[in-house]
Amino acid sequence: MGNILPSSTKVVVLGGGVAGVSCAYHLAKFGWKDVVLLERDQLTSGTTWHAAGLIGQLGASSTITRLRKYSLDLYKELEKSTGLSTGLKQHGAITVASSKERMQELLRQATTAQLSNVEVEVLNKKRIKELYPVLKNEDLVGGVYMPKDGQADPVGVTNVLAKAAKQLGVQIFEKTPVKKILVKNKKICGVETNKGKIECEYVVLASGMWSRQIGEEIGVSVPLYPNEHFYVITEPIKDLPKNLPVLRDYNACLYLKEDAGKMLVGIFEPNAKPAFKNSGRVPNDFSFGEFPDDFDHFEPYLEKSFHRLPMLENVGIRKFFSGPESFTPDTQYLLGETPEVKNLYTCCGFNSIGIASSGGAGRVTAEWMINGYINEDLFSVDIKRFQNFHSSRTFIMNRVTETLGDLYGMHWPFKQHKTSRNEKLLPYHHELKRAGACFGVAGGFERPMWYALNGEEPKYKYSFNYQNWYPSVKYETINARKNVGLFDFSTFSKFDLYGEKTHVELQKICTANIKNEIGKSTYTHMLNEAGGIETDLTIVCIDKNHFRIVSSAATRERDKSHILKYLSNEVKFYDVTEKICCLGLFGPKSRNMIQTLSEDDFTNNNFKFSSGKYVHIKDIKIWAQRISYVGELGFELYVNKDDALNLYKILVNEGKKFNLSHCGMHAMDIMRMETGFMHWGHDISPEENQYQAGLKFAISYKKNVNFIGKDALLKIKDRKLDKMMMMFTLKNSKPGEPLLLHEEPIYLDNKIIGRTTSGNYSFCFDKNLSFGYVNSGNNIDSLKNKNLFIEVEKIKYPAEVILQPLNNKNYKNS
């Protein structure tokens, strides 16, 4: 497409699939015209060419739904502006449910879709038959119909995007493989191709299934790997109705689409087959490639297609296809800047839904690059949610055998993966296991979610209603508020900063006035230039010129990246997450308990809230902090990893005298909501600012520092808020009736006025509790005594706004 390779450009996009051309198009559209796209062979020759081309708007989260909806709208728009065809046919899509639980999942997705203005119709068996007359419906519970969904030609979509990109000045070069990405001082400086070098400031890794090994060559972790993906195309079917909707039967792992009188039958099955298993690498010359037939693997699902569509049983197969599709550890995309190399962005890992996703993914990638941040809640697709070990060959090849099936598997609340587990264990893991812990994964660690009672099996029994762990967490939360609970916080991210300029530089990146006094801690946020909340953390001054930052387990790489982006070389930064453990003692008896173990003074007069100091427990040196994420008197005890097991045993043994209970993460999450505390990634994100979230107390304009985001905050400060965080309870509360999670619409009468962000059942207060943002024009006073509802599974439940947190205990001055 291009002739002479330029010697320099601003951005090089690697990969000529639908994702790469979408990135290039959006970069040029938003003003960066100096963009070169390099494709090692021909456009679409990797995996795009053989995609099924389904354009479905409804995703597992509102973030994914929003990106998919944008993709559909974009493809329609570009067809008109380029004069080329995407092959888009909007005949709708139907997803059917053959079990009550599957129908619940579809109803939840249909409810959330309203927040993105996606049109969805809930179907009964009769209506399904009307829309899809050749389908067998006797065993169905129901379904949902998206009338504006459809299918497109993947090559056509890519060519439309490529033409639109070239019209804006993008240069596209085929048959131009990149030998090496050039990096200097951990920053992109160019690429080396078979036709010469190109100097550049940015690279976008949109190389699909090759992205992991390309990243590996320069020390960048890109956790994805290809599986074999199967579908068949039938011979023409005489009596097949034209213009049938796309059909998905998740319980049977099937998708079916009519195409020119034939049917394509595809599967997303459990126990998938990793591709290129012998070498563990995708060959560089694998273009328009296919794998040998594996009919034995496909046959059980073909049988299921006969059940759902009986007319298929007597139809011949024209084409059996098996080709590679890359999958990630959690079936979400990989977008954003890599933590290892500055100005290297990823746009890959689309888990076989790249056609439906790439329009939106290309847009946010371009905005992210141009602005240096993104004011959307995209953590679920941010590559920085992962760590280096996630891309190791052993981990990723095992995990993708499960995640391909997850695409059509049940999206249960609190679901845990089974493959590639026990990567990181706490020093007292086996003791927690003996105490009845059911483990989940956070930040790569196995951490206790809840503790089984009375010898029951510590295992999730997944449900959209009552949770089998409720009795355990009821005991844990009530006991922690009555006696004392032992929480493990070791998985939380911990960063130690040293140097004379540490305080000065923290003041520049934090919104609060960071206390520069040994033992004092500060709750604060870090913002982007537009005022969006990038981090949520606590900073404590441990010694002169020594500060420790503590944030959540899941945001370790992301928070680290954000902090290092602004620190100078004069501040020494150490990630001590895995060197230091933390055990939390919380509850009204926690002070009495710890005082029996130490000669140090833990009284309120000598150990104020929000302070810390070194203490000794049975000759073990510990940094103790008196802060609380659960709204109780208590202490966080930081200890070297080598001493952690000993400390744990001491606490458990002494705790017997004080009715100590082990408490898991579910208990912590419920208790933080009872106390009105926000959680980054649910309640706050770059999509929100501190005024919207009710967190303006963490802003200090008094400190004489122009901290990052301050100028934006000063403008926001005097504006009318477009949304506001509020707390709600349901009027008729029973555990799991309904199960409140997040992304449920909030109604005033019959109008949606907001969305929920967190949900839990409070056993201490017998309330179904929810946090959420309400749109401008509404406030707590105006909503009191009004007809409020929270919608779950298309049912509106009466709710009321509450003025203050359920837990108002004065734990700070206890």
Side-chain angles (χ1 to χ4, degrees):
M1 290 189 176
N3 296 315
I4 302 174
L5 203 67
S7 59
S8 66
T9 186
K10 189 174 188 70
V11 184
V12 171
V13 178
L14 303 185
V18 65
V21 292
S22 177
C23 286
Y25 163 76
H26 283 96
L27 283 165
K29 179 183 178 182
F30 297 153
W32 281 11
K33 307 291 186 181
D34 198 4
V35 177
V36 169
L37 184 147
L38 303 179
E39 163 55 41
R40 66 189 173 83
D41 194 343
Q42 298 177 47
L43 294 186
T44 78
S45 62
T47 59
T48 297
W49 72 275
H50 64 69
L54 307 186
I55 309 289
Q57 300 170 87
L58 196 58
S61 70
S62 61
T63 296
I64 303 304
T65 297
R66 187 166 64 241
L67 296 182
R68 289 194 196 180
K69 184 176 187 294
Y70 174 87
S71 298
L72 174 61
D73 294 340
L74 174 70
Y75 301 157
K76 291 163 65 176
E77 173 191 324
L78 291 184
E79 266 195 330
K80 296 176 183 176
S81 65
T82 63
L84 297 180
S85 173
T86 63
L88 179 64
K89 296 187 290 185
Q90 286 181 276
H91 299 150
I94 295 172
T95 303
V96 297
S98 56
S99 68
K100 174 188 172 184
E101 294 79 11
R102 180 65 75 180
M103 192 64 205
Q104 286 184 277
E105 179 185 348
L106 296 182
L107 288 172
R108 283 182 177 263
Q109 291 181 2
T111 302
T112 300
Q114 297 170 119
L115 299 173
S116 302
N117 296 315
V118 173
E119 186 179 344
V120 182
E121 178 187 348
V122 177
L123 309 176
N124 58 25
K125 289 198 291 187
K126 181 181 177 183
R127 179 67 173 140
I128 293 172
K129 193 74 171 179
E130 290 172 359
L131 292 167
Y132 211 109
V134 292
L135 166 148
K136 182 177 180 180
N137 70 341
E138 287 86 348
D139 61 333
L140 295 179
V141 176
V144 293
Y145 174 50
M146 287 68 68
K148 294 183 179 178
D149 280 7
Q151 55 185 285
D153 170 25
V155 175
V157 170
T158 306
N159 288 335
V160 164
L161 284 163
K163 182 175 181 180
K166 287 191 291 178
Q167 288 173 341
L168 293 171
V170 173
Q171 298 182 72
I172 297 177
F173 296 87
E174 296 182 299
K175 300 290 184 181
T176 311
V178 170
K179 296 180 179 179
K180 189 176 182 181
I181 297 173
L182 304 177
V183 178
K184 185 177 181 180
N185 297 324
K186 297 184 178 180
K187 186 177 180 179
I188 289 294
C189 63
V191 297
E192 183 180 341
T193 78
N194 65 336
K195 298 176 183 177
K197 292 182 181 179
I198 306 177
E199 294 180 358
C200 63
E201 297 176 46
Y202 295 83
V203 167
V204 181
L205 196 58
S207 310
M209 60 182 171
W210 286 272
S211 300
R212 187 189 72 86
Q213 56 206 51
I214 292 173
E216 190 175 47
E217 291 172 1
I218 55 170
V220 171
S221 173
V222 185
L224 57 74
Y225 195 82
N227 284 314
E228 296 187 29
H229 178 54
F230 302 87
Y231 61 73
V232 298
I233 300 173
T234 70
E235 297 286 354
I237 303 174
K238 181 180 178 182
D239 298 320
L240 186 68
K242 301 294 184 185
N243 304 330
L244 282 172
V246 171
L247 178 66
R248 296 180 179 89
D249 184 346
Y250 290 159
N251 285 46
C253 310
L254 293 170
Y255 64 89
L256 302 96
K257 75 163 187 174
E258 180 271 331
D259 189 6
K262 303 180 288 293
M263 287 295 295
L264 183 150
V265 181
I267 63 171
F268 288 105
E269 75 282 14
N271 303 314
K273 292 181 63 179
F276 312 108
K277 198 169 183 178
N278 291 335
S279 66
R281 288 183 62 85
V282 183
N284 292 332
D285 60 353
F286 192 86
S287 296
F288 300 106
E290 300 183 38
F291 298 131
D293 294 355
D294 187 347
F295 196 75
D296 288 342
H297 185 84
F298 188 82
E299 187 176 22
Y301 304 98
L302 188 61
E303 292 287 339
K304 292 181 180 182
S305 75
F306 297 162
H307 170 77
R308 187 59 59 216
L309 210 61
M311 64 191 316
L312 293 176
E313 193 162 5
N314 298 313
V315 176
I317 294 175
R318 173 169 288 189
K319 170 71 175 175
F320 186 104
F321 177 81
S322 175
E325 291 276 3
S326 60
F327 285 79
T328 64
D330 59 1
T331 64
Q332 300 282 21
Y333 322 150
L334 301 176
L335 306 182
E337 188 177 28
T338 65
E340 300 92 344
V341 175
K342 186 174 175 60
N343 291 354
L344 174 63
Y345 282 75
T346 56
C347 187
C348 51
F350 289 105
N351 303 281
S352 205
I353 51 173
I355 307 302
S357 306
S358 289
R363 173 185 67 81
V364 297
T365 299
E367 290 176 344
W368 215 329
M369 294 172 68
I370 291 169
N371 296 325
Y373 57 86
I374 191 81
N375 277 112
E376 293 186 48
D377 181 7
L378 293 177
F379 181 62
S380 65
V381 295
D382 189 338
I383 191 171
K384 291 184 287 294
R385 70 191 185 273
F386 293 117
Q387 297 173 35
N388 286 339
F389 76 89
H390 285 111
S391 64
S392 72
R393 193 175 297 177
T394 301
F395 179 94
I396 193 65
M397 287 182 72
N398 286 332
R399 174 56 62 83
V400 297
T401 64
E402 181 178 7
T403 55
L404 181 145
D406 283 344
L407 204 63
Y408 277 14
M410 289 292 297
H411 296 96
W412 293 114
F414 318 111
K415 184 177 179 180
Q416 300 292 327
H417 283 109
K418 296 177 180 178
T419 53
S420 299
R421 292 292 296 269
N422 297 318
E423 294 287 326
K424 296 183 181 181
L425 303 181
L426 299 168
Y428 32 81
H429 174 83
H430 297 293
E431 281 69 22
L432 296 179
K433 189 173 183 179
R434 282 194 288 269
C438 176
F439 293 97
V441 178
F445 286 96
E446 298 289 329
R447 71 175 180 182
M449 302 302 294
W450 52 279
Y451 292 84
L453 299 173
N454 306 317
E456 293 185 4
E457 185 181 15
K459 184 178 180 180
Y460 282 102
K461 297 178 182 176
Y462 296 121
S463 170
F464 283 107
N465 301 107
Y466 186 91
Q467 301 295 301
N468 73 302
W469 44 265
Y470 275 170
S472 292
V473 176
K474 179 178 182 179
Y475 169 70
E476 292 169 25
T477 54
I478 290 175
N479 190 70
R481 296 224 184 272
K482 182 180 178 182
N483 298 301
V484 60
L486 176 64
F487 295 78
D488 181 75
F489 296 151
S490 299
T491 59
F492 283 12
S493 304
K494 300 174 284 289
F495 312 124
D496 278 3
L497 283 66
Y498 297 87
E500 290 184 8
K501 289 195 174 182
T502 303
H503 181 256
V504 171
E505 297 196 19
L506 284 174
Q507 289 283 64
K508 290 180 180 178
I509 60 177
C510 297
T511 61
N513 189 17
I514 305 303
K515 299 181 181 74
N516 192 15
E517 181 182 345
I518 295 173
K520 299 298 182 181
S521 62
T522 310
Y523 172 70
T524 188
H525 303 107
M526 297 178 184
L527 311 180
N528 58 43
E529 286 82 353
I533 302 173
E534 292 284 344
T535 70
D536 177 63
L537 38 81
T538 299
I539 300 178
V540 61
C541 179
I542 290 183
D543 204 346
K544 184 179 180 181
N545 300 326
H546 174 196
F547 291 81
R548 177 171 294 157
I549 295 175
V550 180
S551 65
S552 78
T555 58
R556 179 178 174 183
E557 291 300 324
R558 191 184 186 284
D559 289 352
K560 186 193 307 185
S561 237
H562 183 83
I563 295 164
L564 289 173
K565 182 178 179 180
Y566 296 104
L567 288 185
S568 73
N569 292 331
E570 296 182 64
V571 176
K572 303 301 180 185
F573 178 98
Y574 300 95
D575 184 342
V576 296
T577 303
E578 294 176 41
K579 294 180 180 179
I580 298 174
C581 292
C582 179
L583 291 163
L585 283 180
F586 291 97
K589 296 182 180 179
S590 60
R591 178 184 285 124
N592 292 340
M593 176 183 158
I594 201 168
Q595 195 66 77
T596 64
L597 296 169
S598 176
E599 295 181 2
D600 294 279
D601 190 345
F602 290 86
T603 60
N604 189 51
N605 288 337
N606 290 285
F607 206 145
K608 298 287 188 182
F609 182 80
S610 195
S611 67
K613 61 184 179 182
Y614 280 111
V615 300
H616 285 82
I617 292 179
K618 304 289 187 182
D619 297 325
I620 302 173
K621 186 179 180 181
I622 290 162
W623 176 264
Q625 282 179 197
R626 192 181 156 200
I627 56 176
S628 177
Y629 192 49
V630 298
E632 285 294 335
L633 169 68
F635 305 88
E636 292 181 352
L637 306 176
Y638 291 83
V639 61
N640 287 335
K641 181 180 178 181
D642 292 343
D643 294 321
L645 175 57
N646 194 15
L647 176 63
Y648 168 84
K649 290 179 177 179
I650 291 170
L651 295 176
V652 170
N653 185 57
E654 186 68 16
K656 295 173 184 176
K657 304 172 186 175
F658 296 88
N659 293 319
L660 177 142
S661 60
H662 285 78
C663 298
M665 289 299 105
H666 287 309
M668 186 197 73
D669 196 45
I670 290 171
M671 294 175 76
R672 68 95 184 169
M673 286 190 68
E674 291 170 341
T675 315
F677 293 153
M678 304 292 108
H679 179 259
W680 195 95
H682 279 105
D683 311 306
I684 50 178
S685 74
E687 203 163 305
E688 289 81 35
N689 61 62
Q690 291 157 296
Y691 287 101
Q692 294 167 329
L695 296 170
K696 65 180 181 180
F697 66 86
I699 306 170
S700 173
Y701 294 120
K702 291 181 179 179
K703 64 177 182 177
N704 189 26
V705 177
N706 190 28
F707 58 84
I708 293 165
K710 181 177 180 179
D711 291 341
L713 285 185
L714 288 170
K715 294 175 184 176
I716 294 166
K717 178 175 178 283
D718 297 322
R719 288 187 204 146
K720 185 178 180 181
L721 292 176
D722 60 344
K723 63 180 181 180
M724 182 187 301
M725 168 61 74
M726 295 185 193
M727 297 178 289
F728 301 87
T729 58
L730 297 188
K731 290 186 175 180
N732 300 306
S733 289
K734 290 183 180 179
E737 298 181 15
L739 180 67
L740 292 178
L741 296 169
H742 48 81
E743 297 185 335
E744 297 113 353
I746 302 168
Y747 282 81
L748 173 59
D749 294 319
N750 293 314
K751 182 181 179 183
I752 294 176
I753 60 167
R755 64 176 180 92
T756 65
T757 56
S758 289
N760 257 316
Y761 190 83
S762 166
F763 297 96
C764 294
F765 298 91
D766 291 323
K767 293 287 185 182
N768 249 316
L769 179 61
S770 185
F771 290 177
Y773 285 96
V774 172
N775 299 338
S776 175
N778 300 286
N779 56 54
I780 291 175
D781 289 333
S782 70
L783 294 179
K784 283 191 300 186
N785 304 317
K786 293 293 180 65
N787 294 320
L788 296 173
F789 304 91
I790 294 176
E791 187 176 17
V792 181
E793 295 176 21
K794 301 298 289 183
I795 298 172
K796 296 182 181 70
Y797 292 87
E800 56 188 343
V801 63
I802 57 175
L803 306 182
Q804 56 189 3
L806 298 177
N807 175 41
N808 279 312
K809 191 177 290 186
N810 189 5
Y811 58 89
K812 295 182 180 180
N813 295 313
S814 299

